[in-house]
Amino acid sequence: MDIQNKTVLVLGGWGLVGNAVIRKLIPEKPKKIIVTSLKKEEAEEEVEKLKKDFPQLPDDYFIPWWGNIFIRYDYKDMNRNELLDNPVTRKIIMQDIMEELNDEILQSSSIYHLLMEFKPEIIIDCVNSATAIAYQDVYSRYYRIKKLLEKKPSAEILAEETEKIFCTEYVPQLIRHVQILYNSMNKAGTKIYVKIGTSGTGGMGLNIPYTHSEEKPSRVLLSKSAVAGAHTLLLFLMGRTPEGPITKEIKPTAAIAWKKIEYGEIKKGGKPIELLNISIEDAIPLNGKLKLDLDKKFKSTGEHLKSVFIDTGENGTFSLGEFESITTQGQMEYVTPEEIADDVIYEIKGGNTGHDIINALDNATLEPTYRAGFLQHSAIEKLKELEKIHNVNSVAFELLGPPRLSKLLHEINLLKIICGTMKQILNETPESLSQKAFEYIKKDSKLRNEIISIGIPILLPDGHSLLRGNEIKIPPYRGENELEITQDKIDLWAHDGWVDLRPQSMKIWQSRIKTIIEETEQIPPDDTSSMFVRTKKYWNNFETIDIGKVVGWIFSKEEKGERMKA
């Protein structure tokens, strides 16, 4: 893809890799670059530095944006712990993570606001997402709840801690982040998304010797690796979505360094480390119990820790000894941000660096095989043969799921029974099809009971009567046993997993069959090339109905669910 005259969004632009990426982008002449960071001062500081280093560019060429991209726009500049301590904002955050994605959740998100404001064609994501999510540390919250339970807490306190656990769960947060990112990019018209990922361990294995004051290997560190791996697989799926942006991920497996080397104050969490005034006489006896949090704090000297350091950006500030230890041969070693940036630019422009992990997974996964495709025909024939021998229709069992698959299969099977051919479906009125399907369901108790018994209700033609069994798959259980019935909900539930015998459902089926026939008849009869798959022969000249083929067509064409890659 040509970068010239394109709007580029660099998430994490203040960071080490983001900074290098921006500087490598400038020679490619994008229209503008959006520079983001968590904190306002970071984004503005980086933009001011870029303006100073590239004075020839327009004043609005670099645009700062700041805030937490994993949260609502209204909360993006607020402290997450404070948000979780507030019962009102905590409930909203919990719902944003755990509820089904809807327009309100999507359009309230930081990412959506950011992408709708700038409509970037190119996004380069340098945020260390795995760290941001995994270092919320569900283990520490577990220990807190464990201690609370020993004290038999009130229901209110227990409810508060439970809500905080839901807000800390790694996988739901990651899933929601990717859902929001994907939908926002589609609406913004983003063409390519490149993620700078992580292995979580700097390329080292389970023997990594660096811990978080716990067992080796650290569970917190492995959580980061687990989140990073799950993130990669979700991006792998995003890259297999036809209408989504081109998706790539560069995953460095070494420490990344460096931003600057100098002498000065050493900071932790953005604050200077204070030097304490502690004498030998302040030693405490090691007997009884050791207090982790002192009742009386030691006094500060008023001075801050100063030393020579190497700044590795978001990965931290290291002393000479620390940097030398982790980058020595046989440890993490390191890679420079400029090398990562080179790979990013080359991949965006269509090159192949060999470092795009999404492409690597595409090539390493076991795709559908010729043998399986050849044998699929034999399997179908054997199934049909057994259907005739045992005088049954093998339609749907609702073991595979989702319920919509079973619903569609049973609906087209009913139409197959009452009409026989595709063309005959079009010769009936929707009302006639509805009535005939209803009469057949009344008459054939075996089929009726088979449908209901797998958890698929049957909505009768009047639209207000439902045949159901002890269990129904739709609507799914969401903590409430009773749901208010409205017309909109009936339509939604019927769409998702009820066999719908209403005339309006039959009208939809007629439209589908008409489209199948029309698109097939547009194929030139003398075209015997490999271009077309769903030919008249495929559909048996519309004289029979293969229910699986019809529903497969619906998923591929109507619901835009066609497989993109082998």
Side-chain angles (χ1 to χ4, degrees):
M1 178 178 181
D2 189 5
I3 298 171
Q4 187 171 349
N5 207 33
K6 303 292 192 305
T7 297
V8 183
L9 168 63
V10 181
L11 296 170
W14 176 82
L16 189 62
V17 175
N19 180 273
V21 165
I22 291 169
R23 290 167 187 275
K24 294 283 185 178
L25 277 169
I26 291 168
E28 303 298 330
K29 300 180 180 178
K31 184 196 299 181
K32 64 178 71 171
I33 300 175
I34 318 304
V35 182
T36 85
S37 192
L38 179 63
K39 298 175 182 177
K40 177 181 179 181
E41 58 268 25
E42 292 172 345
E44 290 182 338
E45 172 193 303
E46 185 61 32
V47 164
E48 287 307 310
K49 194 169 187 304
L50 288 164
K51 287 181 177 180
K52 182 179 177 182
D53 293 346
F54 301 95
Q56 75 279 12
L57 296 173
D59 192 55
D60 61 349
Y61 191 82
F62 302 106
I63 302 173
W65 190 95
W66 55 87
N68 185 346
I69 63 169
F70 299 100
I71 210 160
R72 282 192 170 218
Y73 182 79
D74 291 344
Y75 304 158
K76 72 181 181 71
D77 300 318
M78 300 172 70
N79 180 278
R80 192 176 190 278
N81 289 330
E82 291 176 3
L83 289 168
L84 294 188
D85 286 337
N86 182 313
V88 175
T89 54
R90 181 174 63 246
K91 278 186 170 59
I92 293 172
I93 290 172
M94 180 177 66
Q95 290 165 1
D96 283 351
I97 295 169
M98 304 303 294
E99 294 285 347
E100 291 182 8
L101 182 64
N102 54 43
D103 285 343
E104 197 274 329
I105 292 174
L106 173 66
Q107 293 169 15
S108 297
S109 70
S110 293
I111 292 176
Y112 184 86
H113 276 258
L114 173 59
L115 268 61
M116 290 305 103
E117 181 177 356
F118 297 109
K119 302 284 191 349
E121 289 101 330
I122 300 170
I123 297 178
I124 304 169
D125 185 351
C126 306
V127 173
N128 199 330
S129 308
T131 298
I133 292 173
Y135 281 17
Q136 293 170 25
D137 194 1
V138 72
Y139 299 105
S140 293
R141 197 159 292 284
Y142 157 74
Y143 288 121
R144 174 178 168 78
I145 292 177
K146 180 183 176 182
K147 206 69 183 172
L148 273 173
L149 290 173
E150 292 173 1
K151 299 176 182 178
K152 294 183 172 53
S154 66
E156 289 78 12
I157 292 175
L158 207 53
E160 177 183 335
E161 291 301 324
T162 302
E163 288 176 352
K164 286 182 178 179
I165 277 283
F166 280 125
C167 294
T168 309
E169 284 292 318
Y170 304 151
V171 172
Q173 287 187 77
L174 180 63
I175 290 170
R176 182 47 40 91
H177 169 64
V178 172
Q179 284 180 318
I180 287 174
L181 178 65
Y182 169 73
N183 282 280
S184 299
M185 288 195 295
N186 273 359
K187 289 182 180 292
T190 301
K191 304 302 180 187
I192 186 166
Y193 170 83
V194 182
K195 173 70 182 172
I196 312 302
T198 180
S199 70
T201 62
M204 303 191 73
L206 293 175
N207 63 333
I208 183 169
Y210 327 123
T211 74
H212 289 72
S213 302
E214 50 176 315
E215 79 274 30
K216 189 177 80 172
S218 157
R219 284 169 295 158
V220 176
L221 189 61
L222 293 186
S223 295
K224 177 182 174 183
S225 294
V227 171
H231 198 171
T232 295
L233 260 293
L234 290 172
L235 295 182
F236 171 73
L237 299 183
M238 193 161 78
R240 288 175 165 250
T241 307
E243 294 184 1
I246 296 168
T247 304
K248 296 173 178 282
E249 181 185 3
I250 308 294
K251 192 181 282 289
T253 49
I256 304 172
W258 67 87
K259 196 170 188 178
K260 61 183 177 181
I261 299 174
E262 59 183 41
Y263 171 84
E265 284 186 340
I266 309 302
K267 296 180 179 180
K268 184 177 182 179
K271 297 179 180 179
I273 297 175
E274 291 189 349
L275 293 176
L276 302 178
N277 187 14
I278 304 171
S279 67
I280 294 296
E281 288 73 25
D282 291 319
I284 60 170
L286 287 177
N287 52 48
K289 294 183 178 180
L290 178 66
K291 288 189 175 181
L292 298 182
D293 198 9
L294 293 173
D295 296 328
K296 183 181 179 182
K297 304 293 184 183
F298 289 110
K299 291 184 178 179
S300 169
T301 62
E303 297 180 354
H304 297 151
L305 176 60
K306 291 184 177 181
S307 189
V308 173
F309 64 87
I310 181 167
D311 181 357
T312 67
E314 55 269 43
N315 290 318
T317 299
F318 298 147
S319 68
L320 164 61
E322 290 167 333
F323 180 72
E324 189 173 24
S325 296
I326 68 168
T327 61
T328 193
Q329 187 177 17
Q331 289 302 295
M332 280 190 186
E333 305 181 18
Y334 80 105
V335 61
T336 66
E338 291 75 24
E339 291 168 302
I340 298 169
D342 282 335
D343 280 355
V344 169
I345 303 301
Y346 197 64
E347 287 286 347
I348 290 173
K349 293 170 68 176
N352 183 5
T353 64
H355 294 147
D356 171 20
I357 197 166
I358 306 301
N359 183 58
L361 284 171
D362 278 335
N363 289 306
T365 54
L366 181 60
E367 68 276 3
T369 63
Y370 174 84
R371 184 175 189 272
F374 183 80
L375 289 175
Q376 190 255 9
H377 176 75
S378 298
I380 297 294
E381 290 303 312
K382 183 63 177 176
L383 286 162
K384 288 181 176 178
E385 178 186 324
L386 288 173
E387 272 190 329
K388 289 179 181 178
I389 292 172
H390 296 282
N391 192 31
V392 296
N393 286 330
S394 179
V395 182
F397 308 139
E398 190 41 41
L399 299 176
L400 171 66
R404 180 155 167 77
L405 173 59
S406 299
K407 161 246 178 36
L408 289 170
L409 286 168
H410 272 296
E411 285 180 355
I412 187 61
N413 182 60
L414 273 171
L415 292 174
K416 174 182 177 180
I417 291 169
I418 63 177
C419 293
T421 71
M422 285 190 178
K423 290 183 177 179
Q424 184 56 35
I425 292 174
L426 301 182
N427 292 334
E428 304 276 351
T429 64
E431 291 74 18
S432 170
L433 290 174
S434 172
Q435 188 60 33
K436 286 182 178 181
F438 176 51
E439 292 298 330
Y440 191 85
I441 281 295
K442 282 200 299 184
K443 178 181 69 175
D444 193 333
S445 61
K446 182 176 182 292
L447 177 60
R448 181 176 71 243
N449 292 332
E450 283 180 357
I451 296 171
I452 293 168
S453 297
I454 65 170
I456 304 298
I458 302 172
L459 183 61
L460 300 186
D462 63 9
H464 298 289
S465 305
L466 190 72
L467 291 174
R468 58 158 293 178
N470 296 326
E471 176 193 11
I472 57 175
K473 297 297 181 73
I474 295 294
Y477 180 70
R478 293 286 187 266
E480 296 180 74
N481 194 43
E482 294 185 356
L483 301 174
E484 183 184 354
I485 296 173
T486 65
Q487 188 58 53
D488 286 345
K489 286 182 179 178
I490 290 173
D491 292 341
L492 175 64
W493 297 334
H495 173 275
D496 289 349
W498 291 358
V499 169
D500 189 353
L501 302 186
R502 294 177 297 176
Q504 65 197 66
S505 173
M506 299 303 160
K507 188 174 182 180
I508 292 170
W509 274 108
Q510 287 183 314
S511 175
R512 287 170 179 148
I513 299 303
K514 185 170 183 286
T515 302
I516 288 173
I517 292 174
E518 286 177 349
E519 73 175 23
T520 305
E521 288 183 336
Q522 286 174 6
I523 300 172
D526 58 346
D527 190 331
T528 56
S529 72
S530 60
M531 183 179 296
F532 302 103
V533 174
R534 293 183 176 93
T535 60
K536 284 186 179 180
K537 185 175 182 181
Y538 177 86
W539 295 114
N540 298 316
N541 205 31
F542 317 120
E543 295 300 323
T544 60
I545 300 175
D546 290 321
I547 63 172
K549 287 182 178 179
V550 174
V551 175
W553 178 91
I554 291 170
F555 285 159
S556 291
K557 302 297 183 180
E558 185 178 305
E559 302 199 357
K560 310 297 183 185
E562 191 163 16
R563 185 187 181 104
M564 178 182 170
K565 300 178 183 178

